[in-house]
Amino acid sequence: QSVLTQPPSASETPGQRVTISCSGSGSNIGSNTVNWYQHLPGTAPKLLIYSTNQRPSGVPDRFSGSKSGTSASLAISGLQSEDEADYFCAAWDNSLNGFYVFGTGTKVTVL
Amino acid sequence: QLQLHESGPGLVKPSETLSLSCYVSGAFVSNNRYSWGWIRQAPGKGLEWIGSIYYTGRTYYNPSLKSRVGISLDTSNNQFSLKLTSVTAADTAVYHCATARHGAGYYYMDVWGKGTTVTVSS
């Protein structure tokens, strides 16, 4: 039912930069801010980026978010082995009565 | 420090009602700074938002679950609850509760519980 589309996987070598895309529509990304979550198996998802480009306290500045129109991106620079995880974008959708929607998820592999 | 902890049965029979609670410490569920929500992840699947309840009691639900879901506040015990009726095997998942911050044009879930596994099986 997800209306936010992400590539299923991305990979890069340590120290390099990887970018993950998130494609939505005018009722979600086009109208509201975007959030990104990092999820490791067996743990609670961690808020990585909120309000499109804000980092919660404790999140390294290697992680950055941006948005243009109905698409958003998460960039991870200086890739480290501990960044290997699933990443989900999310946004509020104004359609129907309003609901929050997660992206399809991207598995990042550090080669 | 805000913390959340889910509790409830780990096994539910098909067609019955799944009931979970989320105990909140470090804040009152009646606090107007927060709303409270539920998210789940089925095996091999992505994250799925179930719904949220605001401090006013107003609720928002995932359209795909709206006919079966209910979220409520229990201010006397500082917790909030999830009920999902007529469950099937497709409702087997890890269920997380979380706090949400919201305003004009923004909504994000920032503090999460560790999650509780619910299996639907006879």
Side-chain angles (χ1 to χ4, degrees), chain B residues 6-14 16-21 38-43 50 82 84 87-96 115-121:
Chain B
E6 306 89 349
S7 63
L11 182 64
V12 181
K13 291 182 168 55
E16 295 191 343
T17 296
L18 179 160
S19 296
L20 297 176
S21 295
W38 290 93
I39 309 94
R40 70 181 183 179
Q41 184 174 33
I50 299 171
L82 168 70
L84 185 65
V87 297
T88 69
D91 295 309
T92 293
V94 175
Y95 286 76
H96 296 273
T116 186
T117 299
V118 177
T119 301
V120 178
S121 174

Side-chain angles (χ1 to χ4, degrees), chain A residues 46 48-49 55-64 83:
Chain A
K46 174 185 176 182
L48 210 57
I49 297 287
R55 285 186 306 276
S57 174
V59 173
D61 60 7
R62 304 186 293 105
F63 295 90
S64 61
D83 298 333

Side-chain angles (χ1 to χ4, degrees), chain A residues 1 31-33 35 37 39 42-47 50-51 86 88 91-92 96-104, chain B residues 39 41 45-49 52 54 58 60-64 66 96 104-110 112-115:
Chain A
Q1 190 253 346
S31 300
N32 300 300
T33 59
N35 313 306
Y37 298 87
H39 192 203
T43 68
K46 174 185 176 182
L47 180 66
Y50 69 97
S51 295
D86 294 320
F88 294 88
W92 188 261
L96 303 175
N97 289 321
F99 60 99
Y100 194 56
V101 60
F102 288 97
T104 50
Chain B
I39 309 94
Q41 184 174 33
K45 304 288 188 180
L47 298 173
E48 180 179 32
W49 182 79
S52 277
Y54 285 35
R58 182 172 183 178
Y60 292 86
Y61 298 127
N62 186 321
S64 67
K66 187 176 182 179
H96 296 273
Y106 74 92
Y107 175 101
Y108 58 91
M109 309 187 97
D110 57 347
W112 294 59
K114 292 182 179 180

Side-chain angles (χ1 to χ4, degrees), chain B residues 15-34:
Chain B
S15 80
E16 295 191 343
T17 296
L18 179 160
S19 296
L20 297 176
S21 295
C22 180
Y23 177 72
V24 179
S25 60
F28 293 113
V29 295
S30 56
N31 191 319
N32 63 4
R33 293 178 57 191
Y34 306 106

